[in-house]
Amino acid sequence: MRARTIISADSNFDMPPRFPAPERRRAGQAVAAWAAAGAAAGAGEVPGYDSHSIIVDDPGGAAWMRRVGGAITDTFGLVADLPLDRRDALTGELCAACDLLAIHPAPLHFDASLTGPQSAWILLRGVALPLAQGARAQIVLSWREVLNRTATARLRRDLTSALELSGRFSTSLDPFALETLPKPPDVSPR
């Protein structure tokens, strides 16, 4: 605190320039593109996020999905021209984001974790962007699939047993030697 007072009192002291760091997250990039396009003033959808976005009409009311990106359809099975259903985990999160967007029309970041197919968790990050003075919304999503605890434990067990099994047959060999490989030990029952 004292250093800040000294620095601000010295008129000859120049602060180093701030260098903008590029945004790496899809949600952050979408918000930057939304702001740059003037979407807050009523511009259209943010281009470049078609496969990872959902266009929602009447976000504070019926919340109809007018367009759903191909990657979202492939991963989550959502299709266009249907209302968002609050009973499903993903669409419930999207409805909650739309409700908050209707109350305060500003970019809204949200995170969710969902149970996915085949012992996976889906970690979801998204941003809801208001369009057309709140009459529409563009929701941009990104996600990752990770193994849940049960599948992770099963994978560890399988890898451990495979490494133990391969350890019985491993010998320390010179990889540059021209000798033939030794025969594996006999493990047949006696």
Side-chain angles (χ1 to χ4, degrees):
M1 186 67 165
R2 184 170 178 236
R4 184 179 294 172
T5 307
I6 293 170
I7 290 172
S8 62
D10 185 3
S11 61
N12 294 328
F13 184 81
D14 290 331
M15 293 294 289
R18 289 189 172 207
F19 296 101
E23 178 62 54
R24 293 175 42 206
R25 295 180 178 156
R26 181 171 287 142
Q29 292 171 351
V31 170
W34 176 83
E45 301 163 14
V46 179
Y49 299 95
D50 296 337
S51 68
H52 285 83
S53 68
I54 301 171
I55 303 301
V56 179
D57 283 344
D58 190 20
W64 278 85
M65 295 182 290
R66 286 296 169 207
R67 191 171 67 239
V68 179
I72 295 172
T73 299
D74 293 345
T75 305
F76 301 107
L78 297 179
V79 293
D81 295 324
L82 291 175
L84 286 173
D85 185 10
R86 293 184 186 276
R87 290 175 281 161
D88 182 53
L90 172 61
T91 54
E93 289 289 333
L94 298 178
C95 279
C98 285
D99 289 343
L100 290 172
L101 197 63
I103 294 169
H104 182 66
L108 174 73
H109 293 269
F110 60 93
D111 296 320
S113 60
L114 312 167
T115 303
Q118 302 173 354
S119 302
W121 276 344
I122 298 175
L123 304 176
L124 180 81
R125 172 170 283 153
V127 63
L129 304 169
L131 304 174
Q133 286 81 28
R136 286 188 124 179
Q138 181 175 4
I139 300 173
V140 179
L141 300 175
S142 61
W143 59 89
R144 290 193 186 268
E145 291 185 30
V146 296
L147 293 177
N148 65 17
R149 289 181 183 163
T150 305
T152 301
R154 186 172 56 242
L155 179 62
R156 272 197 187 131
R157 273 194 315 273
D158 291 348
L159 287 174
T160 301
S161 65
L163 289 172
E164 287 173 353
L165 182 66
S166 68
R168 279 192 268 164
F169 299 111
S170 69
T171 58
S172 75
L173 297 174
D174 180 7
F176 300 104
L178 296 176
E179 301 172 3
T180 60
L181 293 174
K183 291 175 101 178
D186 185 21
V187 291
S188 61
R190 293 183 187 199

